[in-house]
Every structure is written in C-alpha cells, then in structure tokens.
Amino acid sequence: METIDFGHGVPPMSRLVYGAWRLADDHDRSLSHVVEKVEACLDQGITTFDHADIYGDYECEALFGRALHGHSTLKQKMQIVTKCDIMLVSPDKFPRRRTKHYDTSAAHIRDSVENSLRRLGVEVIDMLLIHRPDPFTDHHETGGTLDALIAEGKIRGAGVSNFMPWDVDLLQSAMQNPILTNQIEISLLNKSAFTNGQIATAQRQAMPLMAWSPLGGGELFMPGSEVGKRIMPRLTELGQDQGVAAEAVALAWLLAHPARIMPVVGTNSMGRIRHISDALNVELDRETWFELWALSEGAEVP
Ligand SMILES: NC(=O)c1ccc[n+]([C@@H]2O[C@H](COP(=O)([O-])OP(=O)(O)OC[C@H]3O[C@@H](n4cnc5c(N)ncnc54)[C@H](OP(=O)(O)O)[C@@H]3O)[C@@H](O)[C@H]2O)c1
C-alpha cells in the first residue's frame, strides 16, 4: 500500500484510511467483529484509522479501544487519527449541555485528548484534527495548545477538518508546527472542494488531504438518488471492465487526482471492507475522470 509521509515525526499513513464513525452502527458490535474489521484493513495495508471523540455518541473510540485491548501487535501496526472540538448535546453523557457548539479552548482540547487516549488505550495520538472551524476561536490559544501537546508527546502531529483556506491560514499563523492535513468532504456526490479553494490551496501548500464520505455515504449507489441513477451504471461498467466493484471506481476517481487525496472509507460491510484496496488497481484516464464529473454534475463542464 502506498503511504503518505507527513514528516515532522508523524509515522507514514496509508493512502486509504478506514473511518470509525459508523462503528457503533454495525448490527454486530461485538469486540471480535471490530477486530475482524481491523484485521481485514491491515491485511490490505490500510493501517490508518480515523476517529473522533464524538463518534457513536462518544462510544466508538471506546469500542475500538476495548476490541484492541490485548492486541498489541495489531496496535503497533496502526496509526490513529482522532478529532476534537465538537460539543454534542448528549443527555446521557453531558446532561447539563444545552446547545451543540464548538470548543477550541486549551482546557477542552486537553480534556478531549486525555479522554481519547484513555478510550483508545494508546499512549499517543498520531494525528489530532480540529474537527470543525470554531467561529469563536482564539487561534493563539488553540495553536499554542496543539504545539504544546506535540512537545509533550501526547500527539505526534496536528491537522484540521472542514476548514476553508482562510481558517487554515489563521490557525497556522499561531503555530510552530505545520498543519499536516485538512480532512474534508470530497466525492462524486460532493465536488465543492474542487472549486471552493480547499483543494487548490492544499495543492499549492503540498498538503495531503483526507476525503471523508468518499462514497457519498453510500448515496452514489442508491438507485433512488438522482446522482446514483446517473452515475451508478457507469461506475459498475467501468468496474466490470477492470474486475472490481463500482465502489473501487468511485475511490479511484479521488486517488487519480494530483492533490494526493486520502479517502477515508466508512463501510461496515465485511465484503466491501475486504475490497477497499482494489481502488489502487483501477486506472482512470483524464477523459473518463471528466465523464464521471459530468455524470455527477448532470451536465458536461462549461
Ligand atoms: N471530518 C468530518 O467532519 C467527517 C464527517 C463524516 C465522516 N468522517 C470520516 O469519514 C469516514 C467515512 O465516512 P462515511 O462512512 O460517510 O463514508 P463512505 O465510505 O462514503 O460511506 C459509507 C457508507 O456508504 C454505504 N455504502 C458503501 N457502498 C455502498 C453500496 N454499494 N450500496 C449501499 N451502501 C453503500 C456504507 O454502507 P455499508 O456499511 O452497508 O457498506 C456506509 O453506510 C467516517 O468513518 C469518518 O471517519 C469525517
């Protein structure tokens, strides 16, 4: 598996990442099934796992950590990404919280990191992302805290998620360490990052991007969805030509782009997990790339 080398003391991460957002939604939430999914990823060289404190109403990190307890050889092979700053209304976990909000204060970031370390059962987080830009941010406080956590060895590197280029600039202006990635929504369902400056700016800065919901959360394959109706038949046909499933073609569409996009795949299906890395073997030429763009858009480029 190709890896992305972020440098700056962060271990290389696999080009394809497995996302844990839906881990607690699986009909089988047993620890052995989580291990089965992790092993299926590692077998293909998918060594990077994406979490957030809030996933599964604050349960996914703990589920993952419990499943991997006692599996130190598996843990040694993986890199952990997690996130903080979204404050969910959760009557069970935070009965006094009234309003969903963001918190990029030093106190919250530190608290969230300590909780993630404990829940995941690891000693260091390989990359911590600020989950969403906080309109109430004190960038000096946030940036200083991320630098301090790196210096203290709690996290190896820092990145952001859902940031616009100006949000990245603001936080970077208050940090010694580089912001290593921006995790944003990119797929044949949502192509806005190609035109809103997020991808262009990352390319100029040579910053690899992580793409969340790279399969459009499944919508690309739903015959009931407008985009699914247009694009699914062609994805399937292209896949058949190369001996892979339609999902591999949708992921290959992201991999083909020069920005070094790292798709973060969230399927819970064992059948699909075992074939995520098929995407690396798909070849898409420029014209086919634009054909899929046009099917997604419902119109050819101007
Ligand atoms: N930073 C952020 O703000 C943010 C936001 C959202 C997500 N994320 C990250 O991105 C990861 C991936 O997100 P995601 O789960 O939305 O990504 P995704 O891989 O685009 O979507 C996965 C969903 O698509 C379904 N699916 C895939 N192929 C399908 C098919 N052929 N037919 C029907 N359904 C199909 C899967 O169902 P099955 O399980 O049945 O395969 C699953 O529900 C998350 O786990 C998380 O780590 C980050």
Side-chain angles (χ1 to χ4, degrees):
M1 166 82 53
E2 179 191 345
T3 54
I4 297 288
D5 194 356
F6 289 97
H8 304 277
V10 172
M13 298 202 178
S14 53
R15 183 76 191 271
L16 290 159
V17 177
Y18 184 72
W21 174 33
R22 300 179 194 266
L23 208 58
D25 299 342
D26 198 333
H27 62 277
D28 184 351
R29 294 181 52 165
S30 66
L31 302 186
S32 59
H33 188 54
V34 175
V35 172
E36 191 186 6
K37 288 193 264 192
V38 167
E39 284 176 330
C41 288
L42 293 173
D43 286 349
Q44 298 165 75
I46 300 169
T47 57
T48 305
F49 293 83
D50 182 67
H51 290 266
D53 54 349
I54 57 168
Y55 286 169
D57 194 20
Y58 301 89
E59 291 292 342
C60 287
E61 286 184 333
L63 179 58
F64 193 86
R66 281 199 304 278
L68 290 178
H69 185 72
H71 289 273
S72 53
T73 44
L74 296 186
K75 278 187 182 173
Q76 281 158 12
K77 292 182 192 164
M78 62 175 63
Q79 304 84 45
I80 298 283
V81 178
T82 195
K83 319 186 189 76
C84 65
D85 100 322
I86 300 181
M87 311 292 275
L88 288 186
V89 172
S90 169
D92 288 347
K93 312 275 178 353
F94 300 99
R96 295 168 65 173
R97 195 175 290 163
R98 305 183 319 274
T99 308
K100 184 178 181 187
H101 62 284
Y102 304 141
D103 190 343
T104 48
S105 66
H108 175 65
I109 294 172
R110 283 188 170 281
D111 196 38
S112 188
V113 164
E114 290 301 337
N115 283 330
S116 291
L117 289 168
R118 180 177 46 78
R119 288 193 288 246
L120 289 161
V122 294
E123 282 172 12
V124 57
I125 291 162
D126 294 297
M127 201 184 293
L128 178 74
L129 310 183
I130 300 295
H131 205 153
R132 294 230 165 227
D134 170 7
F136 197 66
T137 196
D138 175 338
H139 58 295
H140 295 289
E141 182 174 347
T142 307
T145 305
L146 294 172
D147 279 338
L149 288 167
I150 292 171
E152 292 162 26
K154 302 263 183 195
I155 66 174
R156 292 196 214 274
V160 294
S161 177
N162 303 299
F163 272 42
M164 293 303 289
W166 49 86
D167 301 314
V168 179
D169 272 0
L170 178 67
L171 183 58
Q172 186 64 82
S173 73
M175 284 182 70
Q176 309 271 321
N177 291 282
I179 293 174
L180 296 172
T181 193
N182 190 8
Q183 185 181 114
I184 54 179
E185 183 176 9
I186 325 175
S187 71
L188 278 161
L189 184 72
N190 185 341
K191 306 188 299 307
S192 55
F194 290 100
T195 50
N196 69 7
Q198 285 176 308
I199 292 179
T201 309
Q203 279 185 281
R204 184 174 57 71
Q205 295 169 343
M207 175 199 283
L209 291 163
M210 295 186 186
W212 61 259
S213 292
L215 302 175
E219 204 177 322
L220 293 173
F221 312 101
M222 290 174 189
S225 89
E226 281 310 308
V227 68
K229 256 184 239 155
R230 288 196 301 269
I231 210 163
M232 164 88 161
R234 187 61 180 137
L235 290 174
T236 306
E237 193 177 52
L238 287 165
Q240 278 165 354
D241 288 348
Q242 303 198 37
V244 298
E247 298 87 47
V249 181
L251 296 177
W253 187 81
L254 296 171
L255 294 171
H257 192 275
R260 293 191 296 162
I261 295 169
M262 304 167 71
V264 185
V265 187
T267 174
N268 266 322
S269 143
M270 281 311 298
R272 288 197 251 278
I273 291 174
R274 289 202 182 94
H275 287 280
I276 295 173
S277 61
D278 285 358
L280 295 165
N281 302 323
V282 176
E283 288 189 15
L284 287 184
D285 60 24
R286 180 179 291 263
E287 202 171 341
T288 312
W289 197 89
F290 276 99
E291 182 191 354
L292 292 173
W293 175 289
L295 286 168
S296 156
E297 196 68 17
E300 64 180 12
V301 290

Tab-separated table of all heavy atoms in Angstrom, residues 5 24 79 214:
chain	number	residue	atom	x	y	z
A	5	ASP	N	3.791	10.322	3.491
A	5	ASP	CA	4.776	10.671	4.505
A	5	ASP	C	4.589	12.134	4.902
A	5	ASP	O	4.921	13.036	4.147
A	5	ASP	CB	6.181	10.425	3.944
A	5	ASP	CG	7.216	10.454	5.059
A	5	ASP	OD1	6.824	10.730	6.217
A	5	ASP	OD2	8.392	10.215	4.768
A	24	ALA	N	-20.236	1.985	15.664
A	24	ALA	CA	-21.263	1.596	16.639
A	24	ALA	C	-22.626	1.379	15.978
A	24	ALA	O	-23.586	0.982	16.640
A	24	ALA	CB	-21.364	2.652	17.738
A	79	GLN	N	-1.833	3.520	12.707
A	79	GLN	CA	-1.741	4.935	13.082
A	79	GLN	C	-3.163	5.407	13.405
A	79	GLN	O	-4.111	5.059	12.704
A	79	GLN	CB	-1.186	5.800	11.936
A	79	GLN	CG	0.170	5.354	11.418
A	79	GLN	CD	0.029	4.243	10.384
A	79	GLN	OE1	-0.819	4.324	9.501
A	79	GLN	NE2	0.848	3.216	10.486
A	214	PRO	N	-16.102	9.381	1.073
A	214	PRO	CA	-15.635	9.317	-0.320
A	214	PRO	C	-16.589	8.558	-1.234
A	214	PRO	O	-16.528	8.716	-2.451
A	214	PRO	CB	-14.294	8.573	-0.201
A	214	PRO	CG	-14.440	7.731	1.031
A	214	PRO	CD	-15.267	8.569	1.984
